[in-house]
Amino acid sequence: MNVIIWLEKYGLLFMLLFCLSVFTPDFTNKMSAVDHELDVLTNSLAQSNTFKQVFWIFVFMFFSFRFLINTEINKLKPVITYKTFFLMVICAVALMSASWSNYPFISMKRAIFQVLFCTSLSVGLCFSYYHKSIELNLKLAVIICILMVLSAVLQGVGLNESLQLAGYSKSKNTMGVNLVVLIVISHMWTKSFNINSKFLNGMLVLLFLLLVLTQSKTSILLCVIYFLMTKLSLFKIKVITSSLAIIFFSVFILIPGVSYHINDYQHIALYVDDDFFTGRGVIWDALYYDLGFFDVITLGYGYGSYFGVGVIPFVLDDKYSFLQYVSSAHNGYLQLLLQFGVVGSLFIFILLMISMLKSNNKYLHAALIIPILHNVTESSIFRDVNMAWLLMVVIIISSGIYQVRYEVNNAR
């Protein structure tokens, strides 16, 4: 088989496996939550990941070149370009934020990575659809993920001290979100593109059983909510997802930003206990205080220039507190506010909303509930190779592909 065609067909699989951490598994004894935070912080202070850079640069160059010269996918090109445009504008905002960041090189590097990531994933999905290899990519990704989990368990390192399944990931929560996103992507694609595979359906059941074994309450709940959402009409799904997105954006970003500028600073951390959501109350309070104290709530610190820059943020630098090990805001909306301020966050939020306006597929809209809700307790949206962000990008691009498919079928 021609190597170029082979890469076009299975490039999506390799990107999925990368984001599922299959290429960088953790076969060590699993750690506590605080140790995991420290491990993430330590890794962020280490030197650049050469494999990661080479992998995404190669994938980006290959798919970009093939997308430009391939005339057989001309029907898909306009909609893929249109959908990717919104993601590229968001990346452009991230690049612009380097101009006011204290760490401009880090901001630019992380923004450029997002360009590589979003473009590669978008075009890779396009070619996978064109070659009719989505089903095979899904089957292989699911099988490999299950085998990796079983391998970790057989080595005696798949469970943590509480007998929760962490598999080949560093923690059970990471394993949980990986599994739920893989389940949701597989289900929404099979339903959206009429893939009828008893084998894949059986594998999804097995994935859900593994998800239950992680005992990750958030991930299990998200998975159940998604399947319940698919039972509703498209209109009801759109109302629910849009309402929740607007509410969370208002609570965590808009209200703090506006109230600060009218000299009546209000934020959710003022009204919850420190141990709210397993300690998130104290983290959020410190970060909102930081934004107000240093007067950066308008434009933020710049993309990716608050955590993982080699310096512990001032409000978290307490050697007697676990806060010194915190490596994210544990709230994606608040993390957007830290990076882009209320102005940039509003712009990004509007772009993401617009990117889904024309979509008329209820499974894709139902899947939006995962990043919307997961972003409340973890920093997911527009963050590196996080699986919830991968799901968001996949939903946006899939909505465009489904639109073309729908129009072609109607024409026939």
Side-chain angles (χ1 to χ4, degrees), residues 37 40 110 248 252-253 283-284 287-288 291 296 299-309 313 316 326-342 344-345 348 375-384 386:
E37 290 280 1
V40 172
R110 292 176 177 174
F248 292 140
F252 293 106
I253 296 177
I283 297 173
W284 296 351
L287 297 177
Y288 277 118
L291 287 165
V296 292
L299 294 177
Y301 282 96
Y303 180 60
S305 61
Y306 191 80
F307 294 105
V309 294
L316 304 179
V326 170
S327 56
S328 75
H330 287 281
N331 179 291
Y333 302 98
L334 175 52
Q335 186 127 339
L336 283 177
L337 187 62
L338 280 167
Q339 298 174 106
F340 302 106
V342 67
S345 297
I348 291 172
N375 210 41
V376 174
T377 57
E378 298 296 338
S379 301
S380 308
I381 300 298
F382 202 47
R383 187 185 180 196
D384 209 37
N386 184 279

Side-chain angles (χ1 to χ4, degrees), residues 14 50 58 75 86 140 147 177 202 227 278 302 314 340 343 351:
F14 292 112
T50 303
F58 170 77
K75 289 183 179 179
F86 292 102
L140 291 173
L147 290 177
V177 72
F227 282 104
T278 59
F314 177 77
F340 302 106
V343 175
L351 284 172

Side-chain angles (χ1 to χ4, degrees), residues 42-71:
T42 302
N43 288 341
S44 69
L45 300 181
Q47 60 183 2
S48 299
N49 188 324
T50 303
F51 171 71
K52 174 182 175 181
Q53 294 174 353
V54 171
F55 176 86
W56 287 104
I57 290 174
F58 170 77
V59 171
F60 170 79
M61 293 178 65
F62 173 79
F63 277 114
S64 297
F65 177 72
R66 293 299 299 166
F67 186 76
L68 290 174
I69 68 170
N70 194 312
T71 58

